[in-house]
Amino acid sequence: MKVVKFGGSSLADAHQFKKVKDIILSDEQRKVIVVSAPGKRFKSDNKITDLLYLCHAHVKYGVSYDTIFNTIKERFEEINEALGLGVDLDKEFKTIKDNISKDNLDYIVSRGEYLSALLLSKYLGYDFVDARDFISFKYDGSIDFEMTKTRFDSLKLKHQTMVAPGFYGLGVSGRIKIMSRGGSDITGSILADLLDAEIYENFSDVSGILSADPSIIKNPKSIPIITYAELRELSYLGAKVLHEEAIFPVKAKNIPINILNTNHPEDKGTMILHDTYEYDMTHEVSMITGISGKKDFISITVYKSGSSAMVGVIKKALEILEEYKVSVENMPCGIDSFSLIVSKDSVNDILYEMVDEIKKALDTKSVSISEPIALIGIVGRAMVNSPGISGKIFGELGNHNINIETISQGADELNIMVGVKNEDFEKTISVIYERFIR
Ligand code: ASP
């Protein structure tokens, strides 16, 4: 049995709904479907979820929301009519209107997924199963897996096939609660776990995870198979395909997640697995799986003579960052110095004040602040235990006259992270891509 999730672009209009139906009916194992709200039909279009947020903002500020509400309604009506579904949308929208209030953000925003699932279930002849009837949250806002399992167990036997809305569930208050943006990926993953699915297929508008950012590298290769751990490293610096939290529910059972493209369902896409041992034994695995990166970090380097031998020096500096609620992205160390790499945005207004505090706490005058730098993660499970790879990477960057400002690699050897000047960002990615991936 397969759990299949379709993202917003896959359900943007009636034409996309048709593709989705063809995909589902082409494989009888595709029995459990999770959907997002309709997304953009073209570049300048709006996602339904964004319109729903906007609708709530109108309600909150007491401005008439009729126009925006009707725009949302029309999008669903177009699909309903074009596919001849006959869903009573007037009734649905009346219920929504009756329940709209400024304290009901989660309810309003969740209606995109709700209606999308309602329409698709009708179109497929599958049962509609509302996410509020099984997805449960705890007081702290995280998913209550146990409660979700109990509720779903009593429900699943009644449905051979089903379409469920992603992105929301029932909060402890007994009201609808939404997840963070892109949360339908998590709903799909939870269902794959609860049903012990053979695979979790995640359809969007890209044929898998790309090995580099296509706005920097023309037609980058898509990654055939990647581990959850590699994906976490790549996503951290910006490669976003799947909601980060979607990995956890399927991880323990090693259920593969296959990233596929609704517009090119014949493409193999990317397979995400906890353990790729079998594949790696029988295939030639590229030394570097992918590269991702982000600009606009700064490095705060603290010099304190003998700091490597002193206990608690770094702790004092970190405590100050904690006070200012600044998260450290990376921390390369020297003998008499250490650098705290933080995102530029997070310190815009407080940088000098914070640095002053660090100087006082560590009793040093010597703290330097770098120009904005970019962090680039070079990720690959094949790098583990293979000598010489970092040498080759650094050699290649040197040959292209790229100065490396910071370097770090964890002992798991999965990610070599380099910091370069912001202006060298694109060049660094191209150089590594051309030499090691192309
Ligand atoms: N529709 C929601 C969003 O735009 C959730 C999702 O698509 O997964 O974030």
Side-chain angles (χ1 to χ4, degrees), residues 5 8 36-37 47 49-50 113 167 180-185:
K5 182 248 160 178
S36 283
K47 288 177 161 195
T49 307
D50 291 334
E113 269 69 17
F167 186 45
S180 53
R181 295 299 303 263
S184 303
D185 286 340

Side-chain angles (χ1 to χ4, degrees), residues 10 27 44 62 81 83 115 129 173 191 210 214 222-223 234 264 297 355 361-362 364 431:
S10 305
D27 182 344
S44 57
E81 274 157 35
L83 303 176
L115 292 166
V129 176
S173 60
L191 282 173
L210 300 175
S222 115
I223 301 171
L234 283 176
H264 294 282
F297 293 91
V355 165
L362 270 67
T364 175
V431 164

Side-chain angles (χ1 to χ4, degrees), residues 38-58:
K40 293 182 179 193
R41 293 159 294 180
F42 40 87
K43 219 168 170 212
S44 57
D45 197 17
N46 295 306
K47 288 177 161 195
I48 290 290
T49 307
D50 291 334
L51 295 176
L52 289 163
Y53 272 105
L54 197 57
C55 188
H56 174 263
H58 280 65

Side-chain angles (χ1 to χ4, degrees), residues 205-387:
D205 55 0
V206 285
S207 292
I209 300 166
L210 300 175
S211 50
D213 182 346
S215 66
I216 301 172
I217 305 293
K218 213 169 163 204
N219 293 325
K221 281 190 191 163
S222 115
I223 301 171
I225 185 158
I226 186 171
T227 62
Y228 295 150
E230 286 175 300
L231 182 63
R232 296 263 310 150
E233 298 283 348
L234 283 176
S235 313
Y236 180 67
L237 282 175
K240 291 267 177 294
V241 209
L242 190 73
H243 194 296
E244 283 182 9
E245 288 163 43
I247 284 168
F248 301 117
V250 290
K251 193 169 172 180
K253 293 182 183 158
N254 200 24
I255 298 173
I257 308 176
N258 195 2
I259 305 290
L260 292 159
N261 188 345
T262 298
N263 305 319
H264 294 282
E266 66 290 351
D267 290 351
K268 285 209 169 72
T270 299
M271 200 63 98
I272 312 169
L273 272 170
H274 181 43
D275 178 359
T276 55
Y277 182 77
E278 271 174 43
Y279 176 92
D280 293 353
M281 282 298 146
T282 49
H283 294 76
E284 201 185 317
V285 181
S286 162
M287 192 57 77
I288 291 174
T289 305
I291 320 166
S292 69
K294 264 195 225 162
K295 284 186 180 173
D296 291 330
F297 293 91
I298 55 168
S299 146
I300 304 168
T301 302
V302 184
Y303 303 89
K304 171 86 186 161
S305 201
S307 62
S308 62
M310 294 175 194
V311 177
V313 173
I314 294 180
K315 179 175 170 237
K316 279 187 194 155
L318 290 178
E319 274 170 358
I320 291 169
L321 266 72
E322 189 185 355
E323 264 167 42
Y324 282 88
K325 297 197 169 39
V326 173
S327 126
V328 183
E329 310 288 335
N330 204 262
M331 209 177 68
C333 293
I335 302 289
D336 286 332
S337 69
F338 58 93
S339 300
L340 305 164
I341 300 186
V342 298
S343 86
K344 195 164 157 274
D345 276 355
S346 69
V347 292
N348 263 345
D349 303 328
I350 47 146
L351 180 60
Y352 293 98
E353 190 184 312
M354 192 176 80
V355 165
D356 232 34
E357 294 288 322
I358 295 176
K359 282 183 183 165
K360 270 191 236 150
L362 270 67
D363 190 22
T364 175
K365 291 201 172 70
S366 207
V367 176
S368 70
I369 298 165
S370 74
E371 293 290 304
I373 59 171
L375 287 182
I376 295 167
I378 305 156
V379 176
R381 63 187 179 281
M383 297 197 295
V384 183
N385 293 328
S386 71

Side-chain angles (χ1 to χ4, degrees), residues 182-210:
S184 303
D185 286 340
I186 307 173
T187 313
S189 181
I190 292 172
L191 282 173
D193 170 37
L194 293 177
L195 289 157
D196 286 321
E198 177 203 326
I199 190 164
Y200 169 28
E201 293 181 326
N202 189 299
F203 280 86
S204 65
D205 55 0
V206 285
S207 292
I209 300 166
L210 300 175

